[in-house]
Amino acid sequence: MIKLRYTALIVSIVLGFASCNLPPKEQNPQRTDFSGKPAAKIPVDSLVEKGQTYLSVYSGVYSYSEHSTHNLTSTISLRNRDAKNEVFITKATYFDTQGTALHEYIKNPISLKPMETLHIVIDERDESGGTGANFIFDWAINNEGTPPLFEAVMISTQGQQGLSFVTTGERIK
């Protein structure tokens, strides 16, 4: 009877582990590409307010000590909070911890329709940004428009441990 209980317990544990299917990891993560989004025609300069926003993004955080990091997936949201007017994003530059520009995500101005959101995803395996990565976004709005909102959600899960947090962009110009 005891042997049967141990066998049932072992079978339950094995079946439990077998049912924990993790999704396969992509072999070659791709960068977000906005080239398929039509280029925007920004209104005449006199009708436009221009701005620049800084957003901190953490590709990794220190774990246990300054010699060990935990990688994170970062989802960067470019949000038009205006229900009536377009927002124009003219530049989105990703920098590493040392301030080196790593990638230009927007090569031609794009527009976000009222209430539209676009995303940039930095893969968990992309360690190029480091623990102090950041973005600078250049944007423009009609004079009566609402400035865009830039946020980053960083997340990682391993086993039963999860880590997540959010940062919000800050206007610098």
Side-chain angles (χ1 to χ4, degrees):
M1 186 71 167
I2 292 177
K3 193 173 189 180
L4 182 59
R5 286 185 192 166
Y6 283 123
T7 303
L9 177 64
I10 291 171
V11 168
S12 296
I13 291 171
V14 169
L15 289 175
F17 281 117
S19 68
C20 294
N21 293 331
L22 296 175
K25 289 197 174 190
E26 291 180 43
Q27 294 300 317
N28 297 313
Q30 306 243 335
R31 291 207 185 268
T32 303
D33 181 13
F34 295 115
S35 63
K37 189 154 177 65
K41 292 185 180 181
I42 300 172
V44 180
D45 278 348
S46 63
L47 302 176
V48 173
E49 175 186 343
K50 294 181 180 179
Q52 196 172 61
T53 299
Y54 169 87
L55 177 67
S56 57
V57 177
Y58 299 85
S59 295
V61 291
Y62 292 106
S63 178
Y64 303 109
S65 74
E66 70 274 8
H67 304 292
S68 174
T69 57
H70 189 86
N71 294 344
L72 304 167
T73 298
S74 302
T75 303
I76 293 82
S77 292
L78 296 68
R79 297 177 177 269
N80 181 355
R81 313 180 283 176
D82 195 311
K84 295 179 183 175
N85 298 292
E86 287 181 292
V87 166
F88 304 94
I89 309 295
T90 58
K91 204 170 184 186
T93 310
Y94 182 49
F95 295 88
D96 69 8
T97 302
Q98 290 75 35
T100 303
L102 297 176
H103 189 71
E104 187 62 54
Y105 280 90
I106 296 176
K107 294 178 175 51
N108 296 309
I110 60 172
S111 68
L112 281 84
K113 296 179 285 189
M115 303 307 293
E116 182 178 12
T117 301
L118 295 178
H119 299 288
I120 296 171
V121 177
I122 309 294
D123 190 278
E124 183 174 322
R125 292 166 291 154
D126 182 349
E127 299 177 8
S128 62
T131 57
N134 53 75
F135 272 88
I136 297 281
F137 296 97
D138 291 349
W139 50 268
I141 57 173
N142 293 325
N143 284 333
E144 68 274 0
T146 303
L149 175 65
F150 301 96
E151 294 179 307
V153 177
M154 283 69 60
I155 187 167
S156 181
T157 56
Q158 292 182 350
Q160 293 182 350
Q161 180 183 14
L163 172 66
S164 64
F165 57 98
V166 176
T167 59
T168 302
E170 195 172 304
R171 188 170 179 176
I172 54 178
K173 277 189 186 176

